[in-house]
Amino acid sequence: MKKDDCIFCKIANGEIPSSTLYEDDDFRIFLDLAPASKGHALIVPKEHFDNLYELSDEKASKALVLAKKTISKMTEALKCDGFNVLQNNNECAGQTVYHFHMHLIPRYKGDDVGLKWTPGENTQEERDEIVNKVRAI
Ligand code: 5GP
Ligand code: ZN
């Protein structure tokens, strides 16, 4: 299903042009218009899912296989030194387009792409509490 007011539905289905690296019946991979680094691309399903919570198992599996194949191709083509593969769910996590997508961000030695967090601390008690809560569901 497509969603009428969704920009990524329109791009993925070819209604809005994009710099497409790859396309099949289910996905389009295109360049981000505001790239974190040279070659920053997005893997986007043609069907609308708001986020990873909603994505079908079938598309989830396919997205990761596409990510794997695409970063290998892009590493060879762009001569980058590594890749960040990530995706955001909900506003607090940085999601700005509410159609599932996976970021492929080429990394170059010495680049200034900022995807870091400050390592925190936790106790065994806190870890046990989290484990118990999650395993109870
Ligand atoms: P999010 O913040 O939701 O994880 O990522 C959304 C991404 O989509 C951003 O990196 C943003 O630059 C990109 N983006 C937003 N609108 C467009 C667009 O119209 N075309 C393309 N190619 N990328 C877009
Ligand atoms: Zn959509």
Side-chain angles (χ1 to χ4, degrees):
M1 284 282 283
K2 284 193 274 168
K3 202 173 160 193
D4 281 345
D5 58 349
C6 174
I7 180 107
F8 278 9
C9 278
K10 292 187 171 73
I11 295 175
N13 288 283
E15 290 164 41
I16 293 177
S18 63
S19 299
T20 294
L21 300 174
Y22 172 86
E23 183 186 6
D24 63 24
D25 287 347
D26 298 323
F27 283 88
R28 183 183 296 269
I29 304 177
F30 54 89
L31 294 180
D32 197 298
L33 282 185
S37 67
K38 188 179 81 178
H40 182 170
L42 302 168
I43 298 183
V44 179
K46 294 186 174 182
E47 192 177 344
H48 182 91
F49 303 94
D50 283 349
N51 49 38
L52 184 59
Y53 296 108
E54 306 294 335
L55 189 67
S56 67
D57 289 357
E58 185 214 338
K59 298 285 162 62
S61 310
K62 195 164 176 193
L64 196 58
V65 173
L66 280 176
K68 174 185 147 69
K69 289 181 176 164
T70 306
I71 67 166
S72 295
K73 272 180 79 166
M74 291 182 79
T75 298
E76 190 178 336
L78 300 176
K79 311 288 180 225
C80 56
D81 302 303
F83 252 95
N84 290 112
V85 177
L86 64 94
Q87 63 86 222
N88 303 321
N89 299 284
N90 292 344
E91 188 179 359
C92 70
Q95 187 174 9
T96 58
V97 177
Y98 294 89
H99 175 130
F100 171 86
H101 52 282
M102 195 178 273
H103 294 263
L104 305 180
I105 303 176
R107 299 301 303 267
Y108 303 87
K109 277 179 195 154
D111 70 26
D112 61 354
V113 176
L115 297 170
K116 290 188 171 55
W117 61 85
T118 307
E121 291 176 358
N122 56 23
T123 62
Q124 187 60 53
E125 196 181 21
E126 288 167 333
R127 290 193 291 273
D128 289 344
E129 188 190 336
I130 294 164
V131 168
N132 291 336
K133 275 186 183 161
V134 174
R135 292 181 68 124
I137 292 168

